[in-house]
Amino acid sequence: MPDLLLPFLGVVAVLTVTPGPDMLLVIRNGLSAGVRGAWFTGLGCCLGIATHATAAVLGLSAILAASATAYSAVKLAGAAYLAYLAVRLLISAIMSGDAPTDELPTEPRVRPTGSVGAAFRQGLVTNLLNPKIALLFLTLLPQFVADGEPRLRTTATLAVIFLGIAVLWWRTFSLAIGPISRLLNGRRSRRALDGVAGCALLAISARVAFEHG
């Protein structure tokens, strides 16, 4: 095991539970579709994390860090995707009043008994298009490789541990959301949830698009 494992676990725990777009999506899909919606959104987030972690271990994230153009392109693509989800949620909130309760007018809503592909895709794409995750792995992992440790193997081990914590967190989080989602299964509650989530994602997308660095 890496010599600096304990301080690494502390840092990862804080980073994992820090709210962001991925947590908002997990909460929204969880409250709308129960444990399955939250869990598959979280799994999508984990696959995105695994992709960034692999790129960092292989050194590919250094390309993104070194190119301001590449960084800006990924950042703007991520902001555009968040804005797309926000608009779809707002449309759902406006239009669902005219839709049957067992029909879903837009992609972002995930039925408990239906396909969870949309939830998984939302979590995955949101993380893949977040260049800060790539830079996080690129800058964080090397700091916890002690002198004398094999750099590649230790970095890969830390990346796997990071991913394992993320999986455990989203599984626990999704199970906790389940009971709450059963209380919010009415049309009015879901319209309000879509409206709030849509506005929040729109604000996040604007912040991502206009922030520097």
Side-chain angles (χ1 to χ4, degrees), residues 128-140:
L128 286 180
L129 295 181
N130 187 350
K132 287 192 173 181
I133 298 180
L135 298 184
L136 170 66
F137 279 107
L138 189 64
T139 57
L140 177 68

Side-chain angles (χ1 to χ4, degrees), residues 89-101 103-106 109 187-188 190-192 194:
L89 285 170
L90 292 174
I91 291 175
S92 175
I94 295 171
M95 301 297 293
S96 62
D98 300 324
T101 55
E103 237 176 72
L104 302 177
T106 57
R109 186 179 298 285
R187 185 188 300 177
R188 289 185 178 180
R190 293 190 175 185
R191 290 185 69 187
D194 282 349

Side-chain angles (χ1 to χ4, degrees), residues 137-162:
F137 279 107
L138 189 64
T139 57
L140 177 68
L141 297 183
Q143 296 182 39
F144 293 91
V145 179
D147 294 338
E149 289 185 321
R151 182 164 297 276
L152 180 59
R153 187 177 69 185
T154 304
T155 302
T157 300
L158 293 174
V160 171
I161 292 172
F162 193 116

